[in-house]
Amino acid sequence: MLVQRTLLSSAVLSALAVLSSAASAQAEIVEQAGALPPIVVTASPLNANVDTQILSPTKVLSGTELRNKTGTSLGDTLSQELGVSASGFGAGASRPVIRGMGGPRVKILQNGMSVADVSSLSDDHAVATEAALARQIEILRGPAALLYGSGAIGGLVNVVNDRIPTRLQKEISGETEARYSSVDNGRSSSVMLDGSAGPVGMHLDSNWRDTGNYKIPGNATLNDPASASGRLPTSFTHETNLGLGASYIASWGYIGASVATLDDHYGIPTDEKSFIDLHQTRYDIAGQIDEPLTGFEKLSFKLGRTDYGHTEKGEDGAAHTIFSNQSTETRLELAHKPMAGWHGTFGVQSDDTRFSSLGAASNMPDTVPKTKSTSFAAFLVEERDFGPVLATAGLRLESVKRQPDAAAQLADRKFNLASYSIGGLWRFAPGYSFGPTLSVAQRAPGAEELYSHGPHEATATFDIGDPALKKETSRNIELTLQKTTGLIRWKANLFENHVRNYVYGRMGEAAVDDHDHSAHDDHDHDHGEFTERLWSQADATIRGAEAEISYNLLGEGFSVRGFADTSRGKLTNMGNLPLQPASRYGVDLGYVQGAWRSGLTILRAQQQDRLAAFEHSTTPAYTKIDASLAYTQTLGALKLTWFALAKNLLNQDIRLATSVLKDVAPQPGRSLILGVRSKF
């Protein structure tokens, strides 16, 4: 293993050195090609250019790249990004896993506000936002907790769909798409429209998706010829989205509102063959006032109200457990003009959430009691130029309360959290920069980690929380070296994260019958045998590296990108962290000429045998090859793009090391996707 790492490091450094020396020879060509359009990161209150992000490395998916990668879940869409894997709980429920951390440590936002679902509680719960309707998806890896809360220790994902317009469109514009996928007989369509009437901007979006059980290369259970083959049982999805928004836009800023509904029906590919019916209604208000006071640039505010619920049902359609989450979130930010050379933003954020998990017939707590969670935070982020060095500093103070229902006879908990970060970006040569970042971030345990005590049907676990859990404290150091201009660009990240009181689910060795637990003798259905999952704490260390190098990635002609990522998490004196991602490397090849665009991606994931003490199976290595071909034609004001995507061309039996279902639910086999996209 040491030899492999040494060879990999040497190869990466050699490639960087050779290609960097070639970059100067390409300067003239870059000038002739013209400047590339800047990428704006909406989740950043300071430098919005992706190349000057210093709080955390950033990736923005947009345009054709986003459409080609859009899958049936957010995790599937992002699973091949640098440092990102997926929880892989079937086609309907897959959440991003960033640098080996997932669940409550990765915060999912929609237009800068929490999606307010329950996907962080368990891997079988879907993320309540749709990538097919996004203008762009922003991934901030590393210490983003200063801006968006203690749940972002691992990183955050922001899905931007522009439901509240911020600028007026002179004419109606929009985008539509329809596609078919062979692996699951899947059909989907989406539409996004923007327009205006006088000073009022308007937005409409809608999405529909229907997929059957997807094909798999071999058997569902690894090395078990008696298990299902051909198709993975209970891996279907059916989803509909509808969103409406409008805003009043003037010279002083804007104020607007939106409403959206999501209905999702998807299967859980386990032996229980259960499925989930999900519904969410979301209301948002947002506004911005430019130069509200002397010395200030803008005042922005957001208010979000979400009513979320899903029902877990058995194979026969009988309802077992009803999850409910009602959330109200507010956010206020005030950006000031430079003062003594410092430019920054300060703000406050609040959240009020009512969560419950009840038995469908008894209306009594099934796994987690009714819990009210409230939080209030104040944050400050500042930056200043010191010649070639851009420095940043930030502070976030937050108070979090968990208050279970009195009938549960469990103690309230209060956590006072303090997070801070300092960093810099040293531009030591034109186009080259080095950025070190030091940060400390704290996270309060979630309601399920504190108060769980009951069976979870979809995961076949009997979850037992610990009301005495302490807050997590993460200490992170990160080093970034990058070249951001020219035809040849590259980036390399090294990180090490020490987490005190890391919360993890420790699996019991033996299966238990939930009726052995007297607190649940009144359940209205028979759960059978489950494996105990006890929420525990220990100190942990996660370290890793990421690197990528590209040539002509956004221009016409030939392009190439090489990439690699690896991370490893260990519990102090207790072995490896569970569900850690495999080390990966790969290459993207592309060719663009006129109306034609083509691409080929080869991804190699190594065997993952760094197992936790209670994990028993190694995840096999695999090679995933995807290809794309598209042709664009213009018909008046209409731009049509016909596209074909091929996924998993080698029809590999792919198991994700970050999935609790890796042994019983492989990823889809070979698939051909055909579709047409229009812009006007």
Side-chain angles (χ1 to χ4, degrees), residues 30-101:
V30 174
E31 291 295 327
Q32 294 172 357
L36 296 173
I39 298 174
V40 176
V41 186
T42 66
S44 171
L46 299 175
N47 273 297
N49 190 295
V50 70
D51 295 331
T52 57
Q53 289 293 300
I54 51 180
L55 279 177
S56 57
T58 301
K59 167 68 177 179
V60 178
L61 272 178
S62 61
T64 301
E65 183 184 15
L66 172 58
R67 298 299 168 228
N68 285 350
K69 291 180 177 179
T70 298
T72 58
S73 64
L74 186 62
D76 183 30
T77 301
L78 304 179
S79 62
Q80 295 190 46
E81 298 307 312
L82 204 63
V84 183
S85 187
S87 58
F89 214 97
S94 185
R95 210 174 190 270
V97 176
I98 300 179
R99 291 177 169 175
M101 290 191 280

Side-chain angles (χ1 to χ4, degrees), residues 445-480:
E448 73 284 359
E449 296 167 331
L450 291 168
Y451 304 126
S452 291
H453 193 89
H456 194 165
E457 196 84 25
T459 58
T461 57
F462 193 101
D463 295 344
I464 301 175
D466 182 355
L469 290 176
K470 302 175 183 178
K471 61 187 176 185
E472 287 184 353
T473 299
S474 167
R475 292 175 172 83
N476 181 279
I477 181 170
E478 184 152 353
L479 304 176
T480 299

